[in-house]
Amino acid sequence: MTDTTDAQDVAAPVYTVAQERRIVTEIPGPRSRELHERRRAVVSGGVGSALPVYIERANGAILVDVDGNQFVDFGAGIGVTTIGHTEASVVQAAADQLQDVIHTLFTVTPYEEYVRVAELLARHTPGGWEKKSVLVNSGAEAVENGVKIARKHTGRRGVAVLDHAYHGRTNLTMAMNFKANPYGAGFGPFAGDVYHAPSSYPYRDGLSGDDAAARTIGYLEKIVGAEDLACLVVEPIQGEGGFMVPADGYLPILQRWCTEHGVVMIADEIQSGMARTGRYYASEHFGWEPDLVLTAKGIAGGLPLAAVTGRAEIMDASHAGGLGGTFGGNPVACAAAIAVFEAIEAGDLLAEAERIERALTSGLERLKARYDVIGDIRGKGAMVAIEVVQPGTGDTTKQPNPDAVSALVAYAAERGVLFLNAGTWGNVLRFLPSLAVSDVLIADALQVLDDGLAALG
Ligand SMILES: *Cc1c(COP(=O)(O)O)cnc(C)c1O
């Protein structure tokens, strides 16, 4: 809740859950263990849970489990509750919409909220040109639709992606992921015409933006052939791959090459968009104006909604009826998304992301000076990670250290801090909090991380 009666200029947010960690049982606690047993009987074993504590309430940056333990949440449902858990304006907008209309199906009888979300997307995605959108339910569905639209527009079939990419768990997106395990292994056959090109990974390849782009383009021209390529799909900052920030210049050079060769370049901003990195979209950090932009995770404060937005002439290539789906652009999810956009427009959320970057990176730099398992610190805004290496290999072979990452995640969880891992080799610890996380909570979590690093021995 926001205190609007306060006479001060800046109303401090009021939380319904105290913003502090508190551990009152072993982790997981007895009620969570009971629920976990019930779950084992009826929930597919193919669905994992990083930390099997069952959550009863959440507010701001805090998760409360069924045993009364409180966790500082550095995962935000993998970058979904960017605006904060159960943020008051989102809750209000969704509750109001539930009273008015829950579903009609936009492709049968439309409603204003869908149009309003498309207007907001057109205004806030990069690029000054005329833009249009289609709304869908999930990130993977946005990727699928981006590829469909690019193929229809170009009349070509080929789809290029980058090494270390993650794009989802549907059939097409499984083929677009870099890592077989756990996303693809045994789930084939996969969609064809998908090509994996080298990326920009400055910590490991040491290449400038020019050189990394030349390598990517060389691969696309020799191995794929531009004339068969419909689209190149790129995360401006890779998410599951480990928060790799590409070298300066890399993305605009690829965009220029795509434009010259009639290839649609698509920004997968599903994890990095919606104020997460201190800009509406992370592409802005790199001077990249993509043809199409994919939005999902953070757009609706926790409700499922996703979008493909981009150049009107590309978005209009599909025949009427070619795009859509039963739940796409659900009115309640749209109402929540409008509240999220309005909060970003009205408030200090972009500056909050920059505050979080400063607090995290300065604290992590101090830890890096003391612990040589921290090989690299990278990211933007509230999307920051450390790459963890074997002791003593940081300046030379940079050998991945997934065991240390797992140990740190477990150490922190037992003390009430939820960290997520990432990285092609499970070698990255990522910080993906909501923008509601305070400097006090960040300092507290970094102290837990410091103790965990010391305990590695
Ligand atoms: C999470 C994610 C997806 C898939 O989104 P879902 O909603 O899980 O289908 C695609 N791309 C990126 C970059 C993601 O982080």
Side-chain angles (χ1 to χ4, degrees):
M1 270 178 287
T2 303
D3 182 359
T4 48
T5 60
D6 197 319
Q8 287 175 321
D9 287 341
V10 184
V14 175
Y15 294 106
T16 57
V17 170
Q19 299 294 292
E20 61 192 22
R21 64 189 169 98
R22 191 176 66 198
I23 294 299
V24 295
T25 69
E26 59 184 327
I27 302 297
R31 292 204 55 213
S32 278
R33 287 204 304 272
E34 229 176 271
L35 283 167
H36 207 57
E37 280 313 303
R38 275 173 57 195
R39 168 226 181 104
R40 274 191 217 284
V42 291
V43 176
S44 165
V47 184
S49 285
L51 178 61
V53 295
Y54 286 70
I55 302 303
E56 196 167 72
R57 296 177 70 200
N59 184 239
I62 301 293
L63 299 169
V64 187
D65 78 5
V66 289
D67 293 290
N69 298 299
Q70 293 194 183
F71 298 85
V72 187
D73 184 8
F74 280 84
I78 315 209
V80 169
T81 55
T82 308
I83 192 169
H85 286 286
T86 57
E87 197 278 334
S89 69
V90 170
V91 172
Q92 192 61 54
D96 290 348
Q97 186 60 42
L98 280 169
Q99 301 289 336
D100 291 345
V101 57
I102 300 176
H103 177 82
T104 67
L105 213 182
F106 192 77
T107 59
V108 177
T109 48
Y111 39 89
E112 181 179 353
E113 288 75 14
Y114 190 118
V115 178
R116 178 81 182 123
V117 170
E119 287 170 349
L120 288 160
L121 286 163
R123 183 187 308 159
H124 292 301
T125 49
W129 42 79
E130 190 194 346
K131 290 175 218 148
K132 296 192 177 181
S133 289
V134 56
L135 304 185
V136 291
N137 303 296
S138 70
E141 211 187 334
V143 177
E144 294 257 359
N145 278 279
V147 170
K148 268 173 73 171
I149 292 163
R151 282 177 167 161
K152 188 81 177 182
H153 172 72
T154 58
R156 304 172 181 175
R157 299 160 56 138
V159 176
V161 292
L162 297 182
D163 290 350
H164 307 287
Y166 176 77
H167 297 295
R169 282 183 161 96
T170 55
N171 186 261
L172 173 61
T173 55
M174 279 194 295
M176 295 168 69
N177 295 337
F178 183 66
K179 238 175 25 171
N181 246 312
Y183 309 122
F187 293 133
F190 300 112
D193 294 293
V194 177
Y195 303 94
H196 295 257
S199 60
S200 170
Y201 190 164
Y203 177 59
R204 289 189 175 272
D205 64 30
L207 296 178
S208 69
D210 285 13
D211 290 346
R215 186 175 66 167
T216 305
I217 289 167
Y219 183 93
L220 293 175
E221 289 185 338
K222 281 196 205 67
I223 314 293
V224 187
E227 62 278 14
D228 285 331
L229 202 54
C231 57
L232 169 61
V233 186
V234 174
E235 300 156 84
I237 297 175
Q238 292 183 314
E240 305 306 298
F243 289 13
M244 282 79 103
V245 178
D248 276 347
Y250 178 73
L251 294 170
I253 294 170
L254 293 187
Q255 178 65 62
R256 227 171 297 138
W257 179 85
C258 284
T259 303
E260 271 166 32
H261 293 84
V263 177
V264 176
M265 192 164 168
I266 304 177
D268 180 343
E269 290 258 20
I270 288 166
Q271 193 159 152
S272 57
M274 295 304 296
R276 166 67 46 196
T277 68
R279 303 282 190 279
Y280 275 90
Y281 287 88
S283 299
E284 297 167 51
H285 288 290
F286 309 104
W288 177 27
E289 296 188 333
D291 297 310
L292 301 183
V293 176
L294 311 178
T295 310
K297 292 193 161 93
I299 187 172
L303 286 168
L305 186 69
V308 185
T309 304
R311 290 179 180 272
E313 67 275 17
I314 300 176
M315 293 300 298
D316 278 342
S318 171
H319 50 282
L323 307 177
T326 303
F327 290 118
N330 169 269
V332 181
C334 283
I338 294 164
V340 170
F341 269 116
E342 287 178 350
I344 304 171
E345 285 180 346
D348 308 319
L349 288 174
L350 300 175
E352 289 298 284
E354 290 178 342
R355 167 187 63 79
I356 291 166
E357 175 182 339
R358 283 193 301 274
L360 278 172
T361 52
S362 62
L364 291 168
E365 288 292 349
R366 284 194 291 276
L367 294 179
K368 184 171 185 283
R370 290 169 44 219
Y371 299 104
D372 67 354
V373 295
I374 301 179
D376 192 27
I377 301 166
R378 56 182 179 246
K380 303 257 185 217
M383 187 173 185
V384 170
I386 53 174
E387 181 158 339
V388 181
V389 295
Q390 300 287 347
T393 69
D395 294 328
T396 52
T397 57
K398 304 172 181 173
Q399 281 173 32
N401 194 347
D403 292 344
V405 172
S406 302
L408 291 168
V409 168
Y411 182 95
E414 282 170 13
R415 286 154 184 84
V417 181
L418 175 60
F419 290 139
L420 298 174
N421 66 3
T424 292
W425 302 278
N427 54 330
V428 172
L429 187 70
R430 60 177 152 173
F431 306 86
L432 201 61
S434 104
L435 303 181
V437 75
S438 67
D439 285 353
V440 172
L441 286 177
I442 292 171
D444 182 43
L446 289 177
Q447 184 57 53
V448 171
L449 181 62
D450 189 343
D451 298 342
L453 285 159
L456 289 175

